[in-house]
Amino acid sequence: MLEHPKTVSAKIAVQGIDEAASSGAQAIDRAATLLLLVGRAGASGARLSDVVAQCSLSKPTVRRMLLALVRAGLLDQDLESRRYYLGPEIYVLGTLASARFGIHSVSLRSLIRLSQETGDTAFLSVPRDVYSICVHREEGPYPIRVHALHAGDRHPLGIGAGSLALLAALPDKEIDEILAANADVLAEKYPACPPAALRRFVRDTRARGYALNPGMVLPDSWAIGVAIPGSDGRPVGAISIAATETRLTEARQRELVPLLKREAAWIEARLREADGTGKPPKGNARHAHR
């Protein structure tokens, strides 16, 4: 059985399904109800029989709708236990909806300053499992803009400047695990960036002090980025600046990196004030966990 009790609100929502004005609205009502029921199951996940027991829909209908939600990325299904869990796209939507709190709101001033001072586009990315998600895109006044990354876009860790900065800030053992987990998607969608190349990019990032994306996704879309450490030293986000190749020469990178590091430090300080940790940790977590 589910670890949470059946709620009156869930029953009412299901009972009201047949009162929908049209079949389209009815389908939306049903999908929303199933998402709520799976979400309320928490970390233990929900079995098909658990979901069916909490609604007035037939088992075939519930199965069909759950699988449709899995295909959309709104739910995940464990292949062994067959239990359903909230999917990656729910996380993305939740991250995008969190603009009023957390690292997103804290970073907005920095992103605006970066875009205005540089004229280029500034980004905030956050880690999610083995992926990096772009949470915010702030465009600067320079008329020529790059369009390789938008809010809500998700790439394997290491693909893109902010994403690479996040990967390079992790312990080596964890990097190996992430690259192994992403091997198939890298081969299919990013053939120019196999695990061996990303390991080399990580070494270069650590030696350079910032991440460089030399057109990984689009040839003329370059970017530089730095990670933002959390209270435990692990990266909680990354900020980056993207521009055309001609605007990100080595000389200009040297001009922009101090601005990125200044804003990363400002964001880190605000986050520490918010969670009450105050001072940064001693040493560097990446080296400490090797």
Side-chain angles (χ1 to χ4, degrees):
M1 292 296 293
L2 293 174
E3 295 180 354
H4 58 84
K6 299 179 182 179
T7 61
V8 174
S9 58
K11 289 183 177 179
I12 292 175
V14 174
Q15 290 168 358
I17 284 174
D18 292 331
E19 299 175 5
S22 68
S23 59
Q26 184 185 76
I28 294 172
D29 283 342
R30 288 177 172 178
T33 298
L34 296 183
L35 279 174
L36 288 171
L37 292 175
V38 173
R40 289 168 181 159
S44 62
R47 296 175 300 181
L48 175 61
S49 58
D50 295 327
V51 178
V52 171
Q54 295 185 79
C55 65
S56 59
L57 302 175
S58 68
K59 188 173 182 179
T61 297
V62 172
R63 179 188 291 111
R64 184 171 63 253
M65 298 197 72
L66 288 176
L67 292 178
L69 292 169
V70 169
R71 290 193 295 272
L74 297 172
L75 292 180
D76 264 342
Q77 185 181 28
D78 184 85
L79 295 180
E80 293 185 4
S81 69
R82 312 305 296 174
R83 288 175 177 262
Y84 293 90
Y85 302 84
L86 291 180
E89 295 305 323
I90 290 290
Y91 178 88
V92 173
L93 292 173
T95 301
L96 294 173
S98 66
R100 292 184 296 173
F101 55 90
I103 190 172
H104 190 167
S105 62
V106 170
S107 302
L108 288 179
R109 289 186 183 181
S110 288
L111 295 173
I112 292 172
R113 281 194 293 261
L114 285 171
S115 64
Q116 292 303 310
E117 289 183 41
T118 66
D120 296 309
T121 306
F123 302 88
L124 170 68
S125 300
V126 297
R128 192 270 176 181
D129 195 21
V130 297
Y131 283 85
S132 168
I133 297 172
C134 176
V135 178
H136 190 89
R137 171 190 173 106
E138 188 69 32
E139 294 187 346
Y142 190 72
I144 300 177
R145 299 167 180 170
V146 299
H147 299 283
L149 191 63
H150 297 83
D153 285 354
R154 181 178 60 195
H155 293 295
L157 280 169
I159 302 297
S163 182
L164 177 58
L166 291 170
L167 184 68
L170 294 172
D172 290 339
K173 183 176 183 296
E174 192 169 343
I175 290 175
D176 290 339
E177 294 171 352
I178 289 170
L179 294 180
N182 283 335
D184 290 342
V185 69
L186 290 172
E188 178 184 354
K189 297 183 177 180
Y190 310 91
C193 299
L198 291 181
R199 287 190 179 89
R200 185 173 68 253
F201 293 161
V202 165
R203 292 193 297 269
D204 293 343
T205 297
R206 290 172 174 175
R208 191 187 295 115
Y210 65 94
L212 171 65
N213 168 15
M216 289 183 193
V217 181
L218 292 178
D220 196 34
S221 178
W222 284 42
I224 55 175
V226 298
I228 304 166
S231 58
D232 61 355
R234 289 179 59 83
V236 294
I239 52 176
S240 56
I241 296 172
T244 59
E245 180 180 359
T246 56
R247 279 181 64 79
L248 273 183
T249 62
E250 288 189 19
R252 190 156 188 264
Q253 290 174 34
R254 289 193 292 270
E255 295 175 1
L256 297 181
V257 168
L259 301 182
L260 278 171
K261 291 186 175 181
R262 177 197 72 192
E263 297 302 334
W266 188 89
I267 296 169
E268 179 185 5
R270 301 293 82 73
L271 291 174
R272 292 186 186 285
E273 290 173 0
D275 65 22
T277 56
K279 297 180 180 180
K282 296 180 180 180
N284 184 290
R286 172 167 56 82
H287 297 293
H289 290 287
R290 281 190 181 182

